[in-house]
Amino acid sequence: MVKKSPDTARDLISQIAAGNESAFKTLFNNYSKRLFSFALAMTKSSADAEEIIQECFTRLWIQRNQLPAIDSPEAYLYRMVRNRTLDHLRKISREQKMINQVWTNLSQPDRSLEEFILTREYQQLIDQALSQLPLQKQQVYRLSREQEHSHEEIAAITGLSKSRVNNIITETLKFIKAHLDKHSGELGMIFWIYAWNHFR
């Protein structure tokens, strides 16, 4: 009896284009580990590499109607992961440059500013803003601000990627600033200056 040869990447791509979920799972099982290693070599982060692979395969399924035009499925998969990884690395680089630039341009806050930041009234406004956010964002903020963990440490504690931790902190700071702006634009600006000096 002749054994049926396993589906090739081209066969699987054709089936996926037709909406075959089983073929999609097979393609994922066949290539995800190799693609993960490829992304890991570039990012040096398991969490980031895993996130990139999930995003790429999700996009592959969503855009499956475009798959019949692909000549070399395997090369396409590696190219997709490479491009997404490069985008990820560029984003991290831009964020770090922005933070470094802000840090360079800002003068060190004087003692009166720190004392004001620690006043009960100011902290109550920040707590009000935090209470409106999801628990995950509250946790990341408090790990950074109250327990003074680095972004790498927070990523290890929460299981999130470092880039996701960076995004959450940036989003949270912007939300708190907007909340403080409603009470006084000066409060929001003071918080923003202080935050960039302490949430690196």
PDB file of all heavy atoms in Angstrom, residues 62-73:
ATOM      1  N   ILE A  62      -6.358  35.911   8.415  1.00  0.00           N
ATOM      2  CA  ILE A  62      -7.265  37.006   8.069  1.00  0.00           C
ATOM      3  C   ILE A  62      -7.142  37.377   6.589  1.00  0.00           C
ATOM      4  O   ILE A  62      -8.143  37.675   5.922  1.00  0.00           O
ATOM      5  CB  ILE A  62      -6.983  38.238   8.954  1.00  0.00           C
ATOM      6  CG1 ILE A  62      -7.371  37.939  10.413  1.00  0.00           C
ATOM      7  CG2 ILE A  62      -7.755  39.465   8.450  1.00  0.00           C
ATOM      8  CD1 ILE A  62      -6.980  39.025  11.381  1.00  0.00           C
ATOM      9  N   GLN A  63      -5.921  37.334   6.074  1.00  0.00           N
ATOM     10  CA  GLN A  63      -5.672  37.729   4.676  1.00  0.00           C
ATOM     11  C   GLN A  63      -5.529  36.509   3.758  1.00  0.00           C
ATOM     12  O   GLN A  63      -4.855  36.564   2.732  1.00  0.00           O
ATOM     13  CB  GLN A  63      -4.408  38.591   4.611  1.00  0.00           C
ATOM     14  CG  GLN A  63      -4.507  39.864   5.423  1.00  0.00           C
ATOM     15  CD  GLN A  63      -3.223  40.685   5.411  1.00  0.00           C
ATOM     16  OE1 GLN A  63      -2.179  40.235   4.945  1.00  0.00           O
ATOM     17  NE2 GLN A  63      -3.301  41.902   5.921  1.00  0.00           N
ATOM     18  N   ARG A  64      -6.158  35.400   4.128  1.00  0.00           N
ATOM     19  CA  ARG A  64      -5.997  34.152   3.383  1.00  0.00           C
ATOM     20  C   ARG A  64      -6.466  34.248   1.931  1.00  0.00           C
ATOM     21  O   ARG A  64      -6.018  33.473   1.080  1.00  0.00           O
ATOM     22  CB  ARG A  64      -6.737  33.013   4.088  1.00  0.00           C
ATOM     23  CG  ARG A  64      -8.232  33.222   4.259  1.00  0.00           C
ATOM     24  CD  ARG A  64      -8.816  32.112   5.125  1.00  0.00           C
ATOM     25  NE  ARG A  64     -10.239  32.271   5.351  1.00  0.00           N
ATOM     26  CZ  ARG A  64     -10.768  33.058   6.276  1.00  0.00           C
ATOM     27  NH1 ARG A  64      -9.976  33.775   7.072  1.00  0.00           N
ATOM     28  NH2 ARG A  64     -12.083  33.136   6.422  1.00  0.00           N
ATOM     29  N   ASN A  65      -7.342  35.196   1.632  1.00  0.00           N
ATOM     30  CA  ASN A  65      -7.819  35.343   0.247  1.00  0.00           C
ATOM     31  C   ASN A  65      -6.687  35.792  -0.697  1.00  0.00           C
ATOM     32  O   ASN A  65      -6.804  35.667  -1.910  1.00  0.00           O
ATOM     33  CB  ASN A  65      -8.984  36.329   0.171  1.00  0.00           C
ATOM     34  CG  ASN A  65      -8.585  37.724   0.626  1.00  0.00           C
ATOM     35  OD1 ASN A  65      -7.934  37.873   1.656  1.00  0.00           O
ATOM     36  ND2 ASN A  65      -8.975  38.728  -0.115  1.00  0.00           N
ATOM     37  N   GLN A  66      -5.588  36.310  -0.108  1.00  0.00           N
ATOM     38  CA  GLN A  66      -4.456  36.759  -0.924  1.00  0.00           C
ATOM     39  C   GLN A  66      -3.417  35.653  -1.153  1.00  0.00           C
ATOM     40  O   GLN A  66      -2.471  35.821  -1.924  1.00  0.00           O
ATOM     41  CB  GLN A  66      -3.769  37.957  -0.263  1.00  0.00           C
ATOM     42  CG  GLN A  66      -4.675  39.152  -0.048  1.00  0.00           C
ATOM     43  CD  GLN A  66      -3.971  40.266   0.730  1.00  0.00           C
ATOM     44  OE1 GLN A  66      -2.759  40.281   0.850  1.00  0.00           O
ATOM     45  NE2 GLN A  66      -4.753  41.197   1.268  1.00  0.00           N
ATOM     46  N   LEU A  67      -3.588  34.515  -0.497  1.00  0.00           N
ATOM     47  CA  LEU A  67      -2.582  33.460  -0.524  1.00  0.00           C
ATOM     48  C   LEU A  67      -2.373  32.791  -1.888  1.00  0.00           C
ATOM     49  O   LEU A  67      -1.247  32.390  -2.197  1.00  0.00           O
ATOM     50  CB  LEU A  67      -2.923  32.389   0.526  1.00  0.00           C
ATOM     51  CG  LEU A  67      -2.894  32.864   1.984  1.00  0.00           C
ATOM     52  CD1 LEU A  67      -3.245  31.715   2.916  1.00  0.00           C
ATOM     53  CD2 LEU A  67      -1.519  33.426   2.339  1.00  0.00           C
ATOM     54  N   PRO A  68      -3.397  32.629  -2.708  1.00  0.00           N
ATOM     55  CA  PRO A  68      -3.161  31.959  -3.998  1.00  0.00           C
ATOM     56  C   PRO A  68      -2.097  32.631  -4.862  1.00  0.00           C
ATOM     57  O   PRO A  68      -1.513  31.987  -5.738  1.00  0.00           O
ATOM     58  CB  PRO A  68      -4.542  32.035  -4.680  1.00  0.00           C
ATOM     59  CG  PRO A  68      -5.502  32.058  -3.538  1.00  0.00           C
ATOM     60  CD  PRO A  68      -4.823  32.900  -2.489  1.00  0.00           C
ATOM     61  N   ALA A  69      -1.821  33.906  -4.615  1.00  0.00           N
ATOM     62  CA  ALA A  69      -0.843  34.627  -5.429  1.00  0.00           C
ATOM     63  C   ALA A  69       0.594  34.359  -4.987  1.00  0.00           C
ATOM     64  O   ALA A  69       1.550  34.785  -5.643  1.00  0.00           O
ATOM     65  CB  ALA A  69      -1.127  36.122  -5.374  1.00  0.00           C
ATOM     66  N   ILE A  70       0.778  33.622  -3.902  1.00  0.00           N
ATOM     67  CA  ILE A  70       2.119  33.367  -3.364  1.00  0.00           C
ATOM     68  C   ILE A  70       2.797  32.234  -4.130  1.00  0.00           C
ATOM     69  O   ILE A  70       2.245  31.143  -4.270  1.00  0.00           O
ATOM     70  CB  ILE A  70       2.037  33.000  -1.865  1.00  0.00           C
ATOM     71  CG1 ILE A  70       1.455  34.179  -1.075  1.00  0.00           C
ATOM     72  CG2 ILE A  70       3.411  32.624  -1.326  1.00  0.00           C
ATOM     73  CD1 ILE A  70       1.181  33.852   0.368  1.00  0.00           C
ATOM     74  N   ASP A  71       3.996  32.500  -4.633  1.00  0.00           N
ATOM     75  CA  ASP A  71       4.744  31.497  -5.404  1.00  0.00           C
ATOM     76  C   ASP A  71       5.511  30.534  -4.497  1.00  0.00           C
ATOM     77  O   ASP A  71       5.555  29.338  -4.736  1.00  0.00           O
ATOM     78  CB  ASP A  71       5.731  32.186  -6.361  1.00  0.00           C
ATOM     79  CG  ASP A  71       5.012  32.949  -7.470  1.00  0.00           C
ATOM     80  OD1 ASP A  71       3.927  32.494  -7.884  1.00  0.00           O
ATOM     81  OD2 ASP A  71       5.525  33.997  -7.898  1.00  0.00           O
ATOM     82  N   SER A  72       6.133  31.099  -3.439  1.00  0.00           N
ATOM     83  CA  SER A  72       6.944  30.278  -2.532  1.00  0.00           C
ATOM     84  C   SER A  72       6.453  30.479  -1.098  1.00  0.00           C
ATOM     85  O   SER A  72       6.892  31.403  -0.401  1.00  0.00           O
ATOM     86  CB  SER A  72       8.421  30.675  -2.644  1.00  0.00           C
ATOM     87  OG  SER A  72       9.202  29.945  -1.717  1.00  0.00           O
ATOM     88  N   PRO A  73       5.517  29.635  -0.638  1.00  0.00           N
ATOM     89  CA  PRO A  73       4.917  29.791   0.693  1.00  0.00           C
ATOM     90  C   PRO A  73       5.923  29.840   1.836  1.00  0.00           C
ATOM     91  O   PRO A  73       5.808  30.661   2.734  1.00  0.00           O
ATOM     92  CB  PRO A  73       4.003  28.565   0.804  1.00  0.00           C
ATOM     93  CG  PRO A  73       3.668  28.225  -0.599  1.00  0.00           C
ATOM     94  CD  PRO A  73       4.923  28.507  -1.378  1.00  0.00           C
TER      95      PRO A  73
END
